[in-house]
Amino acid sequence: TGYDVANSCRFDDGDNAYMHKSQGGGNRRTFTLSCWFKRGNLGTEVGLFDVNNATQPYSNIRISSSDFLKVDDYDGSQDTMLITNRKFRDPSAWYHLCVAYDTTQSTASNRIKVYINGTQETSFSTETYPAQNFDTAWNNSGETLRVGDFAGNGWDGYMAEVVMIDGQQLAPTSFGEFDSDSPTIWKPIDVSGLTFGTNGFYLDFEDSSNLGNDVNGGTDFTEVNLAATDQSTDT
């Protein structure tokens, strides 16, 4: 028992399927991104989130062709690059990703925190954090945010419960919890009561006629090569 996620969105990289919108102005230093994802094709670079389509300045979260997770900010130089040592290559598993930014923090490793299935990732092959008070491309007014893409490298698989919280660096417990009977199992909770902030959004994919619907009430995403049949009950 608990919170049930009704729908996910299926992305096929062969269709170059993704969704996008122009960002409003928000907090470029402090915010949190959360989503559940399930992989399809392995061994190819795919994007979960992308701002500015690799045109400077840009920010993105992606999985490399070697199946490592990457968190990337670039503005004329490599401001952020986190590459996990762990690989994400189980196509039968749902993973929960939480990436929480607060570049105002004095300790570099506190400026970006990456969590997988409720546990913070601390093992990185590359670990470059942004300078204190760095302004990312996230929430930069007028720049294009894509979900399910990175510079034309489209996501392949499923995404569910896609959330941005503008203005807060949240812990994963805002989005999930460990099961009381099986405490190694991380499961979703209802996020509809969160404070999403000026530029935050929530995609639940429950409207098959408008998969890019922001149920938080903000500007909807425009779907590209996505159809009602891409609404899925695999969650």
Side-chain angles (χ1 to χ4, degrees), residues 212-232:
N213 177 42
D214 177 7
V215 295
N216 180 50
T219 303
D220 291 347
F221 283 76
T222 299
E223 302 109 42
V224 177
N225 298 324
L226 289 166
T229 51
D230 291 310
Q231 183 193 59
S232 175

Side-chain angles (χ1 to χ4, degrees), residues 181-208:
D181 295 322
S182 301
T184 61
I185 296 176
W186 182 251
K187 62 184 186 181
I189 60 174
D190 186 357
V191 300
S192 61
L194 294 175
T195 300
F196 291 84
T198 302
N199 204 42
F201 58 84
Y202 173 28
L203 304 177
D204 66 0
F205 306 122
E206 291 189 14
D207 183 352
S208 63

